[in-house]
Amino acid sequence: MSNQSLKHLSDQHILPTYGRFPIAFVRGEGCRLWDADGKEYIDFTSGIGVTSIGHAHPAWVAAIADQAAKLAHVSNLYYTEPGAKLAQRLCALADGMRGVFFSNSGAEANEGLIKVARKYSRDKYGEGRATIITLEGSFHGRTISTLAATGQEKFHQHFFPFTPGFKHVAPGDLAALEAQGDDVCALMLEPIQGEGGVMPLDADYVRAAAEICMKSDWLLLMDEVQTGIGRTGKWFGYQHFNILPDALSFAKGIAGGLPLGGFMVGEKLATTLGPGDHATTYGGNPICAAAALAVLDVVEDALPQVTEMGEYIRTQIQAMNASCIAQIRGRGLMIGAKIQGHAPGEINAKLLEAGLAALTAGTDILRILPPLTIEKKDIDAGLKIMHNVLSTYFAK
Ligand SMILES: *Cc1c(COP(=O)(O)O)cnc(C)c1O
């Protein structure tokens, strides 16, 4: 089937909740994608930070095929080896976190953070201390509660009533944190706001906020759904700040393209949840967990180059001297270019037409999230397309 016929068929039967490009991808390999008409693209999206080791990595394919042939699913009534090994590995990577709960998505992982924080507070202090503070510009997911947690007004439409008990404060505003009352149980942060516009939090702010949390016995929750699993050059984004959160969520990049997420808790929350308190049917199923173990092996080898390649990309984009780029920011391979004078979506559409898949974020950001394994030659091929498009169509 062609791009056009796949678009037509999809538009007839899939609800139009996504704005989509008129392209259907049929195959990927490493950092390359091919559409239904046979055209090749460089992938600077990783499927929004998901295919962190590129497409069809042989070790990942083998891990999934082997596990599928052995055991795909038994439910969480039983133990399985991939889940056990993955949890052990993740706890070690997150500075000795005490336990993992596996979910299927980022929003579901954050729901877990919200639940564990509220239960901790209720067990210890009783009712009336359930408020979770999040930041303006944040994004935490699409369920009713994680939408309520999300600090962007445009997400608070249509779906009333939203879950109560969330307050949004401006990033960097320590006074706003200090001024909170005694109804608060937790502060939830993305180390770099992703969907909000690739906005890194200031390290001094995060450290001071962590101190306020400690002083007030608020739980510090890190939403690492986009920043986790090597994206920023460390295993988790919080590790750039020299702090230890009480709990963190992960998803997107963990299983290289299969649906897996989860949250981890440290000492304080290690015994908050017991049997029956939380559950999900698929969470940590053996195929997703086996895929994730393969991803962690590959990311471990790629990690040193994530910082280096990220710096290279940022320097190269800066050197394009494109008048439409006002600023370039981010960390590791989570990069945002602030666009002026044009809509980032317009630039992104032209890039795709020219064979480069990229992303947008916030209102004025062109975002790139290349696979963590991307090689310099693929980066150069992608940047060349970007340079051509910017100088041809967006020079003024
Ligand atoms: C993508 C994202 C989510 C939501 O994840 P889903 O898997 O789409 O539910 C939550 N938080 C952050 C920071 C994200 O980037």
Side-chain angles (χ1 to χ4, degrees), residues 120-204:
Y120 171 86
S121 187
R122 199 182 167 97
D123 288 349
K124 190 164 169 183
Y125 299 100
E127 274 178 55
R129 193 179 178 279
T131 298
I132 294 175
I133 299 170
T134 67
L135 297 187
E136 289 166 11
S138 62
F139 180 82
H140 297 296
R142 294 285 194 158
T143 62
I144 289 285
S145 298
T146 56
L147 278 177
T150 291
Q152 300 183 58
E153 246 348 279
K154 68 174 178 190
F155 289 106
H156 302 154
Q157 323 260 327
H158 316 307
F159 307 117
F160 296 96
F162 289 96
T163 309
F166 293 94
K167 271 188 203 164
H168 313 297
V169 301
D173 188 351
L174 286 168
L177 289 181
E178 297 276 14
Q180 294 300 322
D182 53 10
D183 61 326
V184 173
C185 70
L187 171 67
M188 177 154 71
L189 308 172
E190 295 160 86
I192 300 175
Q193 294 187 338
E195 302 307 309
V198 191
M199 190 56 98
L201 292 187
D202 178 68
D204 289 337

Side-chain angles (χ1 to χ4, degrees), residues 105-108 110 139-141 190 195 223 225-226 251-252:
S105 69
E108 193 192 2
N110 288 336
F139 180 82
H140 297 296
E190 295 160 86
E195 302 307 309
D223 178 348
V225 169
Q226 194 159 150
K252 290 194 166 94

Side-chain angles (χ1 to χ4, degrees), residues 5 29 41 47-48 60 83 86 93 95 128 158 163 216 249 269 273 285 296 322 325 348-349 371 376:
S5 56
E29 194 183 311
Y41 301 77
I48 320 186
W60 178 83
L86 179 60
L93 297 176
D95 302 292
H158 316 307
T163 309
S216 320
S249 59
L269 295 169
L273 298 177
N285 102 49
L296 294 183
I325 296 180
N348 201 24
K376 195 148 169 292

